[in-house]
Amino acid sequence: FDALDTVEAILIQSREWPDFVTSVFASRNPLELPLIFPGMIDDGLHCEIKLGKNRNTGVFLDMRAGWFWVKAHSHNKRVLNLFSYTGVFSLFALHGGARRVDNVDMAANVLKIAQKNHQSNQLHDGCSAFYKRDILKAQRWFESREPYDLIILDPPPYQKKAFQGWKDYLKLLDHSRHALAEDGTMLCCLNNPQISIDEFKHDLSQHFGDHADLEVIERAPEIEELDNSKGLKLIAVRP
């Protein structure tokens, strides 16, 4: 710790579900939690980080490969970011040249943070919008949209009363197809440690049929899992 001049504190969080405990392992000065600060997530991009009192910190670092894939595939595209949380996917899409990104989440508090993230990155010039919707009950909203070239699906694997696992994922896929352009792409994300990447790919193939093109996006090399086949799964689907 003494050799790391830029480090002011080390926090360790035990995340046994459903409880979690944050401990201050070392600190140069007294700390009051939560710590809230802008964290760099790419050259020229940052987002609000909140550490210490909540399970969710404002950013999921294991999604790095997905962020950079979106940045590389967003130029001049209309993008729909579902379960958008604090809008990090949107930041990368706009940084990659997207002409429009619509962010949808059912939690107003995280949408406010997403708006702040866009403003602080100077990415709020009419190219992004934020909608509070219960996504699984918004089929008419999907059908009313101008088609999107890229739709990002990043739901929780399970959330009581909000998202009930694979049956709701299938509903999400069906809703999204109503809003997808004819030659569009869906980025399907799944963070369920009970399901392997091969099982996820098989389930998507069963749903879309053999004609669909499925591209598995490899996780960032610095993100390691106890079982690398069952960590975060990212598959780009071109129906």
Side-chain angles (χ1 to χ4, degrees):
F1 180 73
D2 291 338
L4 302 174
D5 294 337
T6 60
V7 175
E8 297 182 12
I10 298 175
L11 277 64
I12 297 177
Q13 191 173 88
S14 173
R15 298 167 64 88
E16 295 294 330
W17 185 264
D19 300 317
F20 69 96
V21 177
T22 301
S23 303
V24 180
F25 176 73
S27 178
R28 299 186 191 280
N29 300 295
L31 290 182
E32 182 177 345
L33 301 179
L35 301 177
I36 303 175
F37 57 92
M40 298 301 298
I41 51 177
D42 191 20
D43 291 340
L45 283 184
H46 59 269
C47 69
E48 181 179 291
I49 307 293
K50 183 182 291 187
L51 299 178
K53 283 198 172 180
N54 302 97
R55 179 178 295 276
N56 293 333
T57 64
V59 61
F60 296 104
L61 293 175
D62 58 346
M63 190 59 82
R64 279 172 53 82
W67 300 339
F68 289 109
W69 186 93
V70 165
K71 181 179 176 180
H73 291 81
S74 292
H75 182 70
N76 202 34
K77 291 183 178 178
R78 282 178 50 84
V79 180
L80 177 60
N81 184 18
L82 298 177
F83 296 89
S84 57
Y85 189 43
T86 58
V88 174
F89 266 124
S90 179
L91 299 178
F92 276 86
L94 292 168
H95 214 218
R99 71 176 188 272
R100 170 81 180 189
V101 184
D102 289 341
N103 297 276
V104 186
D105 202 286
M106 60 184 67
N109 61 321
V110 297
L111 286 173
K112 289 180 180 178
I113 297 172
Q115 288 176 302
K116 286 172 57 179
N117 284 336
H118 283 68
Q119 291 166 356
S120 65
N121 284 282
Q122 299 183 357
L123 293 171
H124 59 292
D125 58 354
C127 294
S128 56
F130 305 85
Y131 299 91
K132 182 181 181 299
R133 294 285 189 282
D134 185 337
I135 295 169
L136 295 178
K137 297 179 181 178
Q139 183 171 351
R140 289 186 179 179
W141 184 87
F142 280 93
E143 292 172 350
S144 71
R145 310 304 295 169
E146 181 182 339
Y148 293 94
D149 305 296
L150 172 61
I151 300 180
I152 302 162
L153 297 77
D154 186 21
Y158 179 87
Q159 194 172 73
K160 189 176 182 181
K161 297 183 180 180
F163 201 86
Q164 306 292 318
W166 185 245
K167 70 172 186 177
D168 280 347
Y169 206 111
L170 290 173
K171 186 183 295 185
L172 179 61
L173 291 172
D174 286 336
H175 284 0
S176 298
R177 291 189 78 168
H178 287 295
L180 188 68
E182 185 174 347
D183 57 350
T185 301
M186 295 182 187
L187 176 60
C188 299
C189 312
L190 183 66
N191 197 1
N192 183 340
Q194 305 303 317
I195 298 174
S196 71
I197 183 63
D198 288 339
E199 290 168 331
F200 186 39
K201 186 175 181 180
H202 175 268
D203 289 341
L204 291 173
S205 296
Q206 289 285 102
H207 181 72
F208 287 106
D210 293 337
H211 60 279
D213 176 40
L214 275 63
E215 173 193 354
V216 175
I217 299 164
E218 297 296 333
R219 218 171 29 250
E222 69 272 18
I223 304 296
E224 295 188 10
E225 303 279 352
L226 291 176
D227 183 344
N228 281 321
S229 72
K230 292 187 175 181
L232 174 67
K233 291 156 280 287
L234 303 168
I235 298 181
V237 181
R238 298 170 184 88

